[in-house]
Amino acid sequence: MMIHQAEFIGSSVDYRKCPDVKNPEYAFIGRSNVGKSSLINMLTNRKKLAKISGTPGKTQLINHFLINDKWFLVDLPGYGWAKASKTKKEDWEKMSRDYLLYRSNLVCVFILIDSRLPPQKVDLEFIHWAGENQIPFALIFTKSDKQSKGKTSKSVAAFMKKLKETWAELPPVIVSSAVNGAGKEEIIGFIERINQGKVG
Ligand code: GDP
C-alpha cells in the first residue's frame, strides 16, 4: 500500500474551522524538531509537502492533506518550542489539544518521539494527557538512522518502562527514519488496515 496522492486542503486555526468530517483522519504531533515534517514528506513521497522547521516563531496551524482521495493526514502544531513565548506556546497547545479532544473523525494520533533521547518529561506528560482523555494514539520513534538498532531498541524499551509505571496497556510502537524510509510501510499499513476495518 502506498501513498500515490497527497493534496494540501487547508490550514486552520481551530478544529471548528477544519474541513468536513467526511474522511477518516490521522494526525501527527510531537516536540518541535522531532522530525515530524520530514516524516510526513517521507510518507507522502514529497520533498516539501510539510515544511521542514527551523523557525520557532513561524505560524503554527492545523494542516490538512487529503491522501489517496480517502483519508486526511493532519500536521498538528508541535509542543515544546524552547524559544517561543509562553503565551504563544499555550495558544498552539490549546489549538492541538482542542483538536484532539473534539475532532469527531479523528481515528488515531501518532505521537512522535526522538529515538535518541531518554524519556522526556514533555513527551510523557503529553502521552498521559492523551491517555487520560482516551484519545487513541500510537508512538513513532523517529531518526532511527542516527544510531544502531540496539540503541534504538534500548531507547524504546526505556520509554515503555516509563509508561508501564502508569498504564496497564501499552500503545502500538513504530520505529521510523525519514532518511532511509524505515517505518514507512508499517505506518501506512497501520492506517490502511484501520480504514479497511481490520483493526480498531
Ligand atoms: P519538525 O520540527 O518535527 O517538523 O522536524 P523536521 O522534520 O523539521 O526535522 C528537524 C531536523 O531533524 C531537520 O534538520 C531534519 O533534517 C532532521 N531530521 C528529521 N528526521 C530525520 C531522520 O529521520 N533522520 C535524520 N538523520 N535526520 C532527521
Side-chain angles (χ1 to χ4, degrees), residues 32-33 54-58 79-89 92:
S32 59
N33 215 38
T55 340
K58 76 176 179 182
Y79 51 86
W81 280 111
K83 288 180 193 156
S85 72
K86 196 161 175 255
T87 335
K88 265 191 184 158
K89 265 194 258 183
W92 295 335

Side-chain angles (χ1 to χ4, degrees), residues 31-39 51-54 81 112 142-146 176-179:
R31 220 154 45 90
S32 59
N33 215 38
V34 71
K36 179 167 54 81
S37 311
S38 306
L39 180 77
K51 287 197 190 88
I52 306 284
S53 56
W81 280 111
L112 276 55
T142 62
K143 306 191 186 182
S144 63
D145 61 280
K146 288 210 171 192
S176 78
S177 160
V179 169

Side-chain angles (χ1 to χ4, degrees), residues 10-129:
S11 300
S12 322
V13 287
D14 192 307
Y15 76 94
R16 282 166 290 212
K17 300 202 173 96
C18 287
D20 272 2
V21 293
K22 59 184 180 353
N23 298 299
E25 191 155 303
Y26 297 83
F28 291 75
I29 196 166
R31 220 154 45 90
S32 59
N33 215 38
V34 71
K36 179 167 54 81
S37 311
S38 306
L39 180 77
I40 291 172
N41 292 339
M42 182 269 269
L43 292 175
T44 55
N45 310 309
R46 297 271 290 270
K47 284 204 177 87
K48 289 183 185 163
L49 193 66
K51 287 197 190 88
I52 306 284
S53 56
T55 340
K58 76 176 179 182
T59 317
Q60 296 277 299
L61 297 164
I62 302 168
N63 291 308
H64 273 76
F65 302 95
L66 182 61
I67 306 297
N68 294 351
D69 232 1
K70 242 168 75 189
W71 54 276
F72 282 131
L73 183 158
V74 177
D75 184 1
L76 287 177
Y79 51 86
W81 280 111
K83 288 180 193 156
S85 72
K86 196 161 175 255
T87 335
K88 265 191 184 158
K89 265 194 258 183
E90 281 168 4
D91 284 352
W92 295 335
E93 287 216 17
K94 183 165 166 36
M95 193 195 300
S96 293
R97 285 178 197 246
D98 281 354
Y99 164 88
L100 292 169
L101 288 171
Y102 306 122
R103 180 74 172 159
S104 60
N105 58 332
L106 176 70
V107 179
C108 180
V109 57
F110 294 100
I111 302 175
L112 276 55
I113 311 286
D114 191 324
S115 68
R116 297 167 304 168
L117 304 177
Q120 302 288 298
K121 194 166 163 245
V122 67
D123 291 326
L124 290 165
E125 280 174 1
F126 188 78
I127 289 168
H128 288 316
W129 174 84

Side-chain angles (χ1 to χ4, degrees), residues 172-183:
V173 167
I174 299 173
V175 170
S176 78
S177 160
V179 169
N180 64 25

Side-chain angles (χ1 to χ4, degrees), residues 1-5 42-43 45 67-68 184-185 188 192:
M1 206 66 65
M2 287 302 285
I3 289 180
H4 51 82
Q5 203 184 356
M42 182 269 269
L43 292 175
N45 310 309
I67 306 297
N68 294 351
K184 182 174 185 173
E185 283 184 17
I188 297 171
E192 288 291 339

